[in-house]
């Protein structure tokens, strides 16, 4: 008989995954980290009991948080990733030849070490890329203290619990905005609004006064239960979310990136929001 791990992120709702094999289960300096194998999703990493990434569906999340802002911007050289310890986001960002430098700020070195060891399908050789500047510290402290500027900032964080809580604050978003180059884009992991409505609402409440264009876009990631998840979108390039299909197709062709979920059509459609989400971001 299978052993089961049960996740309870959303109040009275529980999601259970069968465990074929546990690869790691221990407390890091910052959180509880478990990596195990599941028949359907392959290797899964959970932090403090919440699924972070799975081999099977990680491409959806990582492609949509990386390629949407980078291709919309069109001339990205410098990228800041906050969080993202599994390396999947880094791998997608590095696929863009225009990117000269990626600073990745992760609070928990153990997540990186264990991902390199047990999740090579997700991070590939990304941590060995010479364009990477890896900083082990709290993302909020980093943006408070750095004088560097970026074309795209990607917040690939845990949910607003434990170490991730500071990455959902007004202070953090305001500092991120100050770290953007002219025309830069900030994108954020904002959970599944069907279950985590207040999280998206609060992020957009902070985005609206500081960005000319503040909204979210969506994608369905099977392991994040409850329908499509939302990614916060903030930029001073008004109208960037409505970039034309022709422009996106040309940039995508030029980038020569092989994707499993991202297409220019999906990119544009991701900004079409259902009524219940429109009300949260208004
Ligand atoms: N796809 C994911 C999800 O489920 O939302 C996010 C994955 S990634 C593993 C999240 C990373 O954010 C973790 O490695 C965690 O250590 C990191 N993190 C959490 N709080 C942080 C902080 N304050 N500064 C930097 N990194 C942080």
């Amino acid at each position: 008989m299978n052993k089961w791990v049960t996740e309870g992120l959303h109040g009275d709702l529980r999601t259970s995954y069968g465990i074929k094999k546990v690869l790691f289960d221990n407390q890091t300096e910052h959180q509880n980290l478990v990596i195990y194998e599941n028949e359907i999703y392959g290797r899964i990493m959970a932090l403090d009991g919440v699924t972070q990434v799975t081999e099977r569906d990680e491409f959806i999340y990582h492609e949509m948080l990386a390629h949407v802002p980078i291709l919309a911007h069109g001339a990205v050289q410098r990228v800041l990733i906050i969080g993202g310890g599994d390396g999947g986001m880094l791998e997608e960002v590095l696929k863009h030849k225009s990117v000269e430098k990626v600073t990745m700020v992760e609070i928990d070195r153990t997540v990186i070490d264990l991902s390199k060891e047990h999740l090579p399908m997700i991070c590939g050789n990304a941590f060995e890329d010479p364009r990477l500047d890896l900083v082990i510290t709290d993302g909020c402290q980093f943006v408070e203290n750095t004088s560097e500027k970026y074309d795209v900032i990607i917040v690939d964080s845990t949910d607003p619990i434990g170490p991730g809580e500071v990455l959902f604050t007004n202070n953090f978003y305001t500092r991120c905005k100050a770290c953007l180059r002219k025309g830069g884009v900030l994108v954020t992991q904002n959970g599944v609004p069907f279950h985590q409505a207040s999280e998206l609402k609060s992020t957009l409440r902070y985005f609206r006064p500081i960005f000319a264009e503040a909204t979210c876009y969506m994608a369905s990631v099977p392991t994040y239960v409850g329908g499509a998840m939302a990614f916060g979108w903030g930029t001073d390039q008004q109208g960037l979310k409505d970039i034309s299909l022709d422009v996106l197709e040309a940039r995508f062709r030029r980038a020569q990136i092989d994707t499993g979920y991202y297409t220019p059509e999906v990119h544009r459609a991701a900004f079409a929001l259902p009524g219940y989400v429109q009300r949260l971001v208004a």
Side-chain angles (χ1 to χ4, degrees), residues 190-204:
N190 270 101
V192 173
F194 192 82
H195 291 303
Q196 294 157 293
S198 59
E199 184 184 312
L200 180 63
K201 205 175 161 68
S202 131
T203 293
L204 264 296

Side-chain angles (χ1 to χ4, degrees), residues 6 68 99 115 182 187-188 205 212-213 238 244 278:
T6 296
V68 170
V99 170
S115 298
K182 192 167 183 292
V187 290
T188 55
R205 185 160 49 87
E213 183 167 88
Q238 184 84 53
S244 81
Q278 279 180 17

Side-chain angles (χ1 to χ4, degrees), residues 18-24 35-38 43:
I19 304 175
K20 259 175 47 184
K21 187 176 172 192
V22 176
L23 299 158
F24 184 86
I35 301 178
Y36 62 99
E37 277 177 11
N38 170 269
R43 293 189 175 181

Side-chain angles (χ1 to χ4, degrees), residues 30-31 45 47 50-53 61-62 65 82-87 89 104-109 111-112 115 137-141 156-159 161-167 189 191 224 229:
H30 298 278
Q31 51 215 336
M45 179 172 79
L47 290 173
V50 179
T51 302
Q52 298 295 308
V53 71
Y61 173 87
H62 291 132
L65 258 181
I82 304 278
D86 53 72
M89 196 64 70
M104 177 171 150
V105 182
E106 163 62 57
I107 201 168
D108 196 338
R109 183 180 287 282
V111 177
I112 296 175
S115 298
T137 192
D138 170 65
C140 192
Q141 278 177 23
D156 181 10
S157 66
T158 46
D159 289 291
I161 314 160
E165 205 172 342
V166 290
L167 305 181
Q189 184 284 106
Y224 305 147
M229 75 175 299

Side-chain angles (χ1 to χ4, degrees), residues 185-257:
V185 185
L186 169 66
V187 290
T188 55
Q189 184 284 106
N190 270 101
V192 173
F194 192 82
H195 291 303
Q196 294 157 293
S198 59
E199 184 184 312
L200 180 63
K201 205 175 161 68
S202 131
T203 293
L204 264 296
R205 185 160 49 87
Y206 297 140
F207 272 25
R208 276 194 302 272
I210 58 174
F211 290 111
E213 183 167 88
T215 185
C216 75
Y217 62 104
M218 304 187 82
S220 287
V221 183
T223 41
Y224 305 147
V225 295
M229 75 175 299
F231 306 111
W233 171 270
T235 178
D236 278 347
Q237 288 197 58
Q238 184 84 53
L240 192 64
K241 72 179 177 58
D242 301 313
I243 188 165
S244 81
L245 191 57
D246 287 352
V247 171
L248 282 178
E249 278 177 342
R251 287 179 184 171
F252 186 49
R253 256 196 319 274
R254 224 177 304 128
Q256 294 183 305
I257 291 168

